[in-house]
Amino acid sequence: MVYLVAAAGVGLAVVSGASPASAATAQSSAAAKSATHSSTAVSAASLSRKSFPCKSPKGKKLTLSWSKKASHFPGITSYRFYFNNHCNQKRTISVNFTRKHRKPESYLIKVNAHANGDKGRNIANWWKLVSVTAY
């Protein structure tokens, strides 16, 4: 007996002499392998990073990374900002967006000393991220 098993993005796999149960197992494992590979590639490609030096202690930094993805709401983009503050002082991260014929808008993230975490921001598609600064 020959079964053709199709998984999204994988193509066809030939499973010969197998029962329908093992054909389903082959299909689910192929789909899981494909989904894991594609999500890793997408998240690594869309992650941007930046770091800012500390006043004290010398040599330490505030590190920041962010990712952009389409929201489940039409016309909305979702940004996620991840931060890790190695400084001895509280810092403020300013995320600046712009739109044609409009004044720029800023989104401020307050970060305590020696803190890490993340913050999310949903914004309409016509706004574009132009800069990320810290002070």
Side-chain angles (χ1 to χ4, degrees):
M1 197 185 276
V2 175
Y3 294 98
L4 292 178
V5 181
V10 176
L12 295 175
V14 177
V15 181
S16 91
S19 67
S22 64
T25 303
Q27 178 183 10
S28 63
S29 66
K33 189 175 188 179
S34 173
T36 302
H37 176 67
S38 64
S39 65
T40 303
V42 169
S43 64
S46 64
L47 192 67
S48 299
R49 299 174 191 275
K50 204 165 188 183
S51 65
F52 306 95
C54 297
K55 292 179 184 175
S56 71
K58 294 287 184 193
K60 298 290 184 174
K61 296 177 181 179
L62 162 67
T63 58
L64 177 69
S65 60
W66 63 93
S67 61
K68 173 185 171 182
K69 67 177 186 174
S71 175
H72 58 278
F73 297 112
I76 302 293
T77 300
S78 178
Y79 285 91
R80 177 65 71 192
F81 298 92
Y82 305 92
F83 54 86
N84 194 352
N85 188 3
H86 296 281
C87 304
N88 288 337
Q89 61 274 0
K90 187 176 191 175
R91 302 291 297 266
T92 301
I93 300 167
S94 176
V95 180
N96 304 303
F97 295 95
T98 189
R99 180 178 169 191
K100 193 173 187 176
H101 307 298
R102 294 281 180 111
K103 290 185 349 183
E105 286 197 9
S106 294
Y107 171 58
L108 300 177
I109 303 170
K110 305 278 187 179
V111 181
N112 289 326
H114 304 288
N116 60 7
D118 64 324
K119 296 283 183 178
R121 180 74 173 167
N122 290 330
I123 194 156
N125 286 342
W126 51 81
W127 289 94
K128 302 295 178 204
L129 179 67
V130 289
S131 68
V132 178
T133 58
Y135 53 93

Coordinates of all heavy atoms in Angstrom, one line a residue, residues 45-121:
A45 N 15.4 37.4 11.5 CA 15.6 38.4 10.4 C 14.9 39.7 10.8 O 15.4 40.8 10.4 CB 15.0 37.9 9.1
S46 N 13.8 39.8 11.6 CA 13.1 41.0 11.9 C 13.5 41.6 13.2 O 12.9 42.6 13.6 CB 11.6 40.7 11.9 OG 11.3 39.8 13.0
L47 N 14.5 41.1 13.9 CA 15.0 41.7 15.2 C 16.1 42.7 14.9 O 17.1 42.4 14.3 CB 15.5 40.6 16.1 CG 15.7 40.9 17.5 CD1 14.4 41.2 18.2 CD2 16.4 39.8 18.2
S48 N 15.9 43.9 15.5 CA 16.9 45.0 15.4 C 17.4 45.2 16.8 O 16.7 45.1 17.8 CB 16.2 46.3 14.8 OG 15.7 46.0 13.6
R49 N 18.7 45.7 16.8 CA 19.4 45.9 18.1 C 20.1 47.2 18.2 O 20.5 47.7 17.2 CB 20.4 44.8 18.4 CG 19.9 43.4 18.4 CD 21.0 42.4 18.5 NE 20.5 41.0 18.3 CZ 20.0 40.2 19.2 NH1 19.9 40.7 20.4 NH2 19.5 39.0 18.9
K50 N 20.2 47.7 19.4 CA 20.9 48.9 19.7 C 21.4 48.9 21.1 O 20.7 48.3 22.0 CB 20.1 50.1 19.4 CG 20.8 51.4 19.1 CD 19.8 52.4 18.5 CE 20.6 53.6 18.0 NZ 19.8 54.6 17.5
S51 N 22.5 49.6 21.4 CA 23.0 49.6 22.8 C 23.4 51.1 23.1 O 23.9 51.8 22.2 CB 24.1 48.6 23.1 OG 25.2 48.9 22.4
F52 N 23.4 51.5 24.4 CA 23.7 52.8 24.8 C 24.6 52.6 26.0 O 24.3 51.9 27.0 CB 22.5 53.6 25.2 CG 21.5 53.6 24.1 CD1 20.4 52.7 24.1 CD2 21.6 54.6 23.1 CE1 19.5 52.7 23.0 CE2 20.6 54.6 22.1 CZ 19.6 53.7 22.0
P53 N 25.8 53.4 26.1 CA 26.7 53.2 27.2 C 26.1 53.8 28.5 O 25.4 54.8 28.5 CB 27.9 54.0 26.8 CG 27.4 55.0 25.7 CD 26.3 54.3 25.1
C54 N 26.6 53.3 29.7 CA 26.2 53.8 31.0 C 27.2 54.9 31.4 O 28.3 54.9 31.1 CB 26.2 52.7 32.0 SG 25.1 51.3 31.7
K55 N 26.6 55.8 32.3 CA 27.5 56.7 32.9 C 28.3 56.0 34.0 O 29.5 56.3 34.3 CB 26.7 57.9 33.5 CG 26.1 58.8 32.5 CD 25.3 59.9 33.1 CE 24.6 60.7 32.0 NZ 23.7 61.7 32.6
S56 N 27.6 55.1 34.7 CA 28.3 54.3 35.7 C 27.5 53.0 35.8 O 26.3 53.0 35.7 CB 28.3 55.0 37.1 OG 27.0 55.0 37.7
P57 N 28.2 51.9 36.0 CA 29.6 51.7 36.0 C 30.1 51.7 34.5 O 29.4 51.4 33.6 CB 29.8 50.3 36.5 CG 28.5 49.6 36.3 CD 27.4 50.6 36.3
K58 N 31.4 52.1 34.4 CA 32.0 52.2 33.1 C 32.1 50.9 32.4 O 32.3 49.9 33.0 CB 33.5 52.8 33.2 CG 33.5 54.2 33.8 CD 33.1 55.1 32.7 CE 33.3 56.6 33.2 NZ 32.7 57.5 32.4
G59 N 31.9 50.9 31.1 CA 31.9 49.6 30.3 C 30.6 48.9 30.2 O 30.5 47.9 29.4
K60 N 29.6 49.2 31.0 CA 28.3 48.5 31.0 C 27.4 49.3 30.0 O 27.6 50.5 29.7 CB 27.7 48.5 32.4 CG 28.5 47.7 33.4 CD 28.4 46.2 33.0 CE 29.2 45.4 34.1 NZ 29.0 44.0 33.9
K61 N 26.3 48.6 29.6 CA 25.4 49.2 28.6 C 23.9 49.0 28.9 O 23.6 48.0 29.6 CB 25.7 48.6 27.2 CG 27.1 48.9 26.7 CD 27.3 48.2 25.4 CE 28.7 48.5 24.8 NZ 28.9 47.9 23.6
L62 N 23.1 49.8 28.3 CA 21.7 49.5 28.2 C 21.5 48.9 26.8 O 21.8 49.5 25.8 CB 20.9 50.8 28.3 CG 19.4 50.8 27.8 CD1 18.6 49.9 28.7 CD2 18.9 52.2 27.8
T63 N 21.0 47.7 26.8 CA 20.8 47.0 25.5 C 19.3 47.0 25.2 O 18.5 46.9 26.1 CB 21.4 45.6 25.5 OG1 20.7 44.9 26.5 CG2 22.9 45.6 25.7
L64 N 19.0 47.2 23.9 CA 17.7 47.3 23.4 C 17.5 46.5 22.1 O 18.4 46.6 21.3 CB 17.3 48.8 23.2 CG 15.9 49.1 22.7 CD1 14.9 48.7 23.7 CD2 15.9 50.6 22.4
S65 N 16.5 45.8 22.0 CA 16.2 45.1 20.7 C 14.7 45.3 20.5 O 13.9 45.4 21.4 CB 16.6 43.7 20.7 OG 16.0 42.9 21.7
W66 N 14.3 45.2 19.2 CA 12.8 45.3 18.9 C 12.5 44.5 17.7 O 13.3 44.2 16.9 CB 12.4 46.8 18.8 CG 13.1 47.5 17.7 CD1 12.6 47.7 16.4 CD2 14.3 48.2 17.7 NE1 13.4 48.4 15.6 CE2 14.5 48.8 16.4 CE3 15.3 48.4 18.7 CZ2 15.6 49.5 16.1 CZ3 16.4 49.2 18.4 CH2 16.5 49.7 17.1
S67 N 11.3 44.1 17.7 CA 10.8 43.3 16.5 C 9.5 44.0 16.1 O 8.7 44.6 16.8 CB 10.6 41.9 16.9 OG 9.6 41.7 17.9
K68 N 9.2 43.8 14.8 CA 8.0 44.4 14.1 C 7.2 43.2 13.5 O 7.8 42.4 12.8 CB 8.4 45.4 13.1 CG 7.3 45.9 12.3 CD 7.9 46.8 11.2 CE 6.8 47.2 10.2 NZ 7.4 48.1 9.1
K69 N 5.9 43.2 13.7 CA 5.1 42.2 13.0 C 3.7 42.8 12.8 O 3.3 43.7 13.4 CB 5.1 40.9 13.8 CG 4.4 40.9 15.1 CD 4.3 39.6 15.7 CE 3.5 39.6 17.0 NZ 3.3 38.4 17.6
A70 N 3.0 42.2 11.9 CA 1.6 42.6 11.6 C 0.8 42.1 12.8 O 0.9 41.0 13.3 CB 1.1 42.0 10.3
S71 N -0.1 43.0 13.2 CA -1.0 42.7 14.3 C -2.2 41.9 13.7 O -2.4 41.8 12.5 CB -1.5 44.0 14.9 OG -2.5 43.7 15.8
H72 N -3.0 41.3 14.6 CA -4.1 40.5 14.1 C -5.3 41.5 13.8 O -6.3 41.1 13.3 CB -4.6 39.5 15.1 CG -4.9 40.0 16.5 ND1 -3.9 40.2 17.4 CD2 -6.1 40.3 17.1 CE1 -4.5 40.7 18.5 NE2 -5.8 40.8 18.3
F73 N -5.1 42.8 14.0 CA -6.1 43.8 13.6 C -5.6 44.3 12.2 O -4.4 44.7 12.1 CB -6.1 44.9 14.6 CG -6.6 44.5 16.0 CD1 -5.7 44.5 17.0 CD2 -7.9 44.1 16.2 CE1 -6.1 44.1 18.3 CE2 -8.3 43.7 17.4 CZ -7.5 43.7 18.5
P74 N -6.5 44.5 11.3 CA -6.1 45.0 10.0 C -5.6 46.5 10.1 O -6.2 47.3 10.8 CB -7.4 45.0 9.1 CG -8.4 44.2 10.0 CD -7.9 44.1 11.4
G75 N -4.5 46.8 9.4 CA -4.0 48.1 9.3 C -3.2 48.5 10.5 O -2.8 49.7 10.7
I76 N -2.8 47.6 11.4 CA -2.1 47.8 12.6 C -0.8 47.0 12.6 O -0.8 45.9 12.2 CB -2.9 47.5 13.9 CG1 -4.2 48.2 13.9 CG2 -2.1 47.7 15.1 CD1 -4.1 49.7 14.1
T77 N 0.3 47.7 13.0 CA 1.6 47.0 13.1 C 1.9 46.9 14.6 O 1.7 47.9 15.4 CB 2.7 47.8 12.4 OG1 2.4 47.9 11.0 CG2 4.1 47.1 12.6
S78 N 2.5 45.8 15.0 CA 2.8 45.6 16.4 C 4.3 45.6 16.6 O 5.0 44.9 15.9 CB 2.2 44.2 16.9 OG 2.6 44.0 18.2
Y79 N 4.8 46.5 17.5 CA 6.2 46.5 17.9 C 6.4 45.9 19.3 O 5.6 46.2 20.2 CB 6.8 47.9 17.9 CG 6.9 48.5 16.5 CD1 5.9 49.2 15.8 CD2 8.2 48.3 15.8 CE1 6.1 49.7 14.6 CE2 8.4 48.9 14.6 CZ 7.3 49.6 13.9 OH 7.5 50.1 12.7
R80 N 7.5 45.2 19.5 CA 7.8 44.7 20.8 C 9.2 45.1 21.1 O 10.1 44.8 20.3 CB 7.6 43.2 20.9 CG 8.0 42.5 22.2 CD 7.2 42.9 23.4 NE 5.9 42.3 23.4 CZ 4.9 42.8 24.2 NH1 5.2 43.7 25.1 NH2 3.7 42.3 24.2
F81 N 9.4 45.9 22.2 CA 10.8 46.4 22.6 C 11.2 45.6 23.8 O 10.6 45.6 24.8 CB 10.7 47.9 22.9 CG 10.3 48.7 21.7 CD1 8.9 49.0 21.5 CD2 11.2 49.2 20.8 CE1 8.5 49.7 20.5 CE2 10.8 49.9 19.7 CZ 9.5 50.2 19.5
Y82 N 12.4 45.0 23.7 CA 13.1 44.3 24.8 C 14.2 45.1 25.3 O 15.1 45.5 24.5 CB 13.5 42.9 24.3 CG 12.5 42.1 23.6 CD1 12.3 42.2 22.3 CD2 11.6 41.3 24.4 CE1 11.3 41.5 21.6 CE2 10.6 40.5 23.7 CZ 10.5 40.6 22.4 OH 9.5 39.9 21.8
F83 N 14.4 45.2 26.6 CA 15.5 46.0 27.2 C 16.1 45.3 28.3 O 15.5 44.5 29.0 CB 15.0 47.4 27.6 CG 13.8 47.3 28.6 CD1 14.0 47.2 29.9 CD2 12.5 47.4 28.1 CE1 12.9 47.1 30.8 CE2 11.4 47.3 29.0 CZ 11.6 47.2 30.3
N84 N 17.4 45.6 28.5 CA 18.2 45.1 29.7 C 19.1 46.2 30.1 O 20.1 46.6 29.4 CB 19.0 43.9 29.2 CG 19.5 43.1 30.4 OD1 19.4 43.5 31.5 ND2 20.1 41.9 30.1
N85 N 18.9 46.8 31.3 CA 19.6 48.0 31.8 C 20.7 47.5 32.8 O 20.3 47.1 33.9 CB 18.7 49.0 32.4 CG 19.3 50.3 32.8 OD1 20.5 50.4 32.5 ND2 18.6 51.1 33.4
H86 N 21.9 47.6 32.4 CA 23.0 47.2 33.3 C 23.6 48.4 34.0 O 24.6 48.3 34.7 CB 24.2 46.6 32.5 CG 23.8 45.3 31.8 ND1 23.7 44.1 32.5 CD2 23.4 45.0 30.5 CE1 23.3 43.1 31.7 NE2 23.1 43.7 30.5
C87 N 23.0 49.6 33.8 CA 23.4 50.8 34.4 C 23.0 51.0 35.9 O 22.0 50.3 36.3 CB 22.9 52.0 33.6 SG 23.3 52.0 31.9
N88 N 23.7 51.9 36.6 CA 23.3 52.2 38.0 C 22.2 53.2 38.1 O 21.8 53.6 39.2 CB 24.5 52.6 38.8 CG 25.5 51.5 39.1 OD1 25.1 50.3 39.1 ND2 26.7 51.8 39.3
Q89 N 21.8 53.8 37.0 CA 20.8 54.8 37.0 C 19.6 54.5 36.1 O 19.7 53.6 35.2 CB 21.4 56.2 36.5 CG 21.9 56.2 35.1 CD 23.4 55.7 35.0 OE1 24.0 55.4 36.0 NE2 23.9 55.7 33.8
K90 N 18.5 55.1 36.4 CA 17.3 54.9 35.6 C 17.5 55.6 34.3 O 18.1 56.6 34.1 CB 16.1 55.6 36.4 CG 14.7 55.4 35.8 CD 13.7 56.0 36.7 CE 12.3 55.6 36.3 NZ 11.3 56.1 37.2
R91 N 16.9 54.9 33.2 CA 17.1 55.4 31.8 C 15.7 55.6 31.2 O 14.8 54.9 31.6 CB 17.9 54.5 31.0 CG 19.3 54.2 31.5 CD 20.3 55.4 31.4 NE 20.5 55.8 30.1 CZ 21.6 55.4 29.3 NH1 22.4 54.6 29.8 NH2 21.7 55.9 28.1
T92 N 15.6 56.4 30.2 CA 14.4 56.6 29.4 C 14.7 56.3 27.9 O 15.7 56.8 27.4 CB 13.9 58.0 29.5 OG1 13.6 58.3 30.9 CG2 12.6 58.2 28.7
I93 N 13.9 55.4 27.3 CA 14.1 55.1 25.9 C 13.0 55.8 25.1 O 11.8 55.8 25.5 CB 13.9 53.5 25.7 CG1 15.0 52.8 26.5 CG2 14.0 53.2 24.2 CD1 14.8 51.3 26.6
S94 N 13.4 56.5 24.1 CA 12.5 57.3 23.3 C 12.4 56.6 21.9 O 13.4 56.5 21.2 CB 13.0 58.7 23.1 OG 12.1 59.4 22.2
V95 N 11.2 56.2 21.6 CA 10.9 55.5 20.3 C 10.2 56.5 19.4 O 9.1 57.0 19.8 CB 10.1 54.2 20.4 CG1 9.9 53.6 19.1 CG2 10.8 53.3 21.4
N96 N 10.7 56.9 18.3 CA 10.1 58.0 17.5 C 9.6 57.5 16.2 O 10.2 56.8 15.4 CB 11.2 59.0 17.2 CG 11.9 59.6 18.5 OD1 11.2 60.1 19.4 ND2 13.1 59.4 18.6
F97 N 8.3 57.9 16.0 CA 7.6 57.5 14.8 C 7.3 58.8 14.0 O 7.1 59.8 14.5 CB 6.2 56.8 15.1 CG 6.4 55.5 15.8 CD1 6.4 55.4 17.2 CD2 6.6 54.3 15.1 CE1 6.5 54.2 17.8 CE2 6.7 53.1 15.7 CZ 6.7 53.1 17.1
T98 N 7.2 58.6 12.7 CA 6.8 59.8 11.8 C 5.8 59.3 10.8 O 5.6 58.1 10.5 CB 8.0 60.4 11.1 OG1 7.7 61.6 10.5 CG2 8.6 59.4 10.1
R99 N 5.1 60.3 10.2 CA 4.1 60.1 9.2 C 4.1 61.3 8.3 O 4.4 62.4 8.7 CB 2.7 60.0 9.8 CG 1.6 59.8 8.9 CD 0.3 59.7 9.6 NE -0.8 59.7 8.6 CZ -2.1 59.8 8.9 NH1 -2.4 59.9 10.2 NH2 -3.0 59.9 8.0
K100 N 3.9 61.1 7.0 CA 4.0 62.1 6.0 C 3.0 63.3 6.4 O 1.9 63.0 6.7 CB 3.6 61.6 4.6 CG 3.9 62.5 3.5 CD 3.7 61.7 2.2 CE 4.1 62.5 1.0 NZ 4.0 61.8 -0.2
H101 N 3.5 64.5 6.4 CA 2.8 65.7 6.7 C 2.3 65.8 8.1 O 1.3 66.5 8.4 CB 1.6 65.9 5.7 CG 2.0 65.8 4.3 ND1 2.9 66.7 3.7 CD2 1.7 65.0 3.3 CE1 3.0 66.4 2.4 NE2 2.3 65.3 2.1
R102 N 2.9 65.1 9.0 CA 2.5 65.2 10.4 C 3.8 65.4 11.3 O 4.9 65.1 10.9 CB 1.9 63.8 10.9 CG 0.6 63.5 10.2 CD -0.5 64.3 10.9 NE -1.8 64.0 10.3 CZ -2.8 63.3 10.9 NH1 -2.6 62.9 12.1 NH2 -3.9 63.1 10.3
K103 N 3.6 65.9 12.5 CA 4.6 66.0 13.4 C 5.0 64.6 13.9 O 4.1 63.8 14.1 CB 4.2 66.9 14.6 CG 4.1 68.3 14.2 CD 3.8 69.3 15.4 CE 3.4 68.7 16.7 NZ 3.1 69.7 17.7
P104 N 6.3 64.4 14.2 CA 6.7 63.1 14.8 C 6.1 62.8 16.1 O 5.8 63.8 16.9 CB 8.2 63.2 14.9 CG 8.6 64.3 14.1 CD 7.4 65.2 14.0
E105 N 5.9 61.6 16.5 CA 5.4 61.2 17.8 C 6.4 60.3 18.5 O 7.1 59.5 17.8 CB 4.0 60.4 17.6 CG 2.9 61.3 17.3 CD 1.5 60.6 17.5 OE1 1.5 59.6 18.2 OE2 0.5 61.2 17.1
S106 N 6.5 60.5 19.8 CA 7.4 59.7 20.6 C 6.7 58.8 21.6 O 5.6 59.2 22.1 CB 8.4 60.6 21.3 OG 9.2 61.3 20.5
Y107 N 7.2 57.7 21.8 CA 6.7 56.7 22.8 C 7.9 56.5 23.8 O 9.0 56.1 23.4 CB 6.3 55.4 22.1 CG 6.0 54.2 23.0 CD1 5.0 54.3 23.9 CD2 6.7 53.1 22.8 CE1 4.7 53.2 24.7 CE2 6.4 52.0 23.6 CZ 5.4 52.1 24.6 OH 5.1 51.0 25.3
L108 N 7.7 56.8 25.0 CA 8.7 56.8 26.1 C 8.6 55.5 26.9 O 7.5 55.1 27.3 CB 8.7 58.0 27.0 CG 8.9 59.3 26.3 CD1 8.7 60.5 27.3 CD2 10.2 59.4 25.6
I109 N 9.7 54.9 27.1 CA 9.8 53.7 28.0 C 10.7 54.0 29.1 O 11.9 54.2 28.9 CB 10.3 52.4 27.2 CG1 9.4 52.2 26.0 CG2 10.3 51.2 28.1 CD1 9.9 51.1 25.0
K110 N 10.2 54.0 30.3 CA 11.1 54.2 31.5 C 11.6 52.9 32.0 O 10.9 51.9 32.2 CB 10.3 54.9 32.6 CG 9.5 56.1 32.3 CD 10.4 57.3 32.3 CE 9.6 58.6 32.1 NZ 10.4 59.7 32.1
V111 N 13.0 52.9 32.2 CA 13.6 51.6 32.6 C 14.4 51.9 33.9 O 15.3 52.8 33.9 CB 14.6 51.1 31.5 CG1 15.3 49.8 31.9 CG2 13.9 51.0 30.2
N112 N 14.1 51.2 35.0 CA 14.8 51.3 36.2 C 16.2 50.7 36.1 O 16.5 50.0 35.2 CB 14.0 50.6 37.4 CG 12.8 51.3 37.7 OD1 12.7 52.5 37.7 ND2 11.8 50.5 38.1
A113 N 17.1 51.1 37.1 CA 18.4 50.6 37.1 C 18.4 49.1 37.3 O 17.6 48.5 38.1 CB 19.2 51.2 38.3
H114 N 19.3 48.4 36.6 CA 19.4 46.9 36.7 C 18.1 46.2 36.4 O 17.9 45.1 37.1 CB 20.0 46.5 38.1 CG 21.3 47.2 38.3 ND1 22.5 46.9 37.7 CD2 21.6 48.2 39.2 CE1 23.5 47.6 38.2 NE2 23.0 48.4 39.1
A115 N 17.3 46.7 35.5 CA 16.1 46.0 35.2 C 16.1 45.5 33.8 O 16.8 46.0 32.9 CB 14.9 47.1 35.3
N116 N 15.3 44.5 33.5 CA 15.1 44.0 32.2 C 13.6 43.7 32.0 O 12.9 43.5 32.9 CB 16.0 42.8 31.9 CG 15.7 41.6 32.8 OD1 14.8 41.6 33.6 ND2 16.5 40.6 32.7
G117 N 13.2 43.6 30.7 CA 11.8 43.4 30.4 C 11.5 43.7 29.0 O 12.3 43.8 28.2
D118 N 10.2 43.9 28.7 CA 9.7 44.2 27.4 C 8.4 45.0 27.5 O 7.7 45.0 28.5 CB 9.5 43.0 26.6 CG 8.4 42.1 27.1 OD1 8.3 42.0 28.3 OD2 7.7 41.5 26.2
K119 N 8.2 45.8 26.5 CA 7.0 46.6 26.3 C 6.5 46.5 24.9 O 7.3 46.4 23.9 CB 7.3 48.1 26.6 CG 7.7 48.4 28.0 CD 6.6 48.4 28.9 CE 7.1 48.8 30.3 NZ 6.0 48.9 31.2
G120 N 5.2 46.5 24.7 CA 4.6 46.4 23.4 C 4.0 47.7 23.0 O 3.6 48.5 23.8
R121 N 3.8 47.9 21.7 CA 3.2 49.1 21.1 C 2.5 48.8 19.8 O 3.2 48.2 18.9 CB 4.3 50.2 20.9 CG 3.7 51.5 20.4 CD 3.0 52.2 21.4 NE 2.6 53.6 20.9 CZ 1.8 54.3 21.5 NH1 1.2 54.0 22.6 NH2 1.5 55.5 20.9

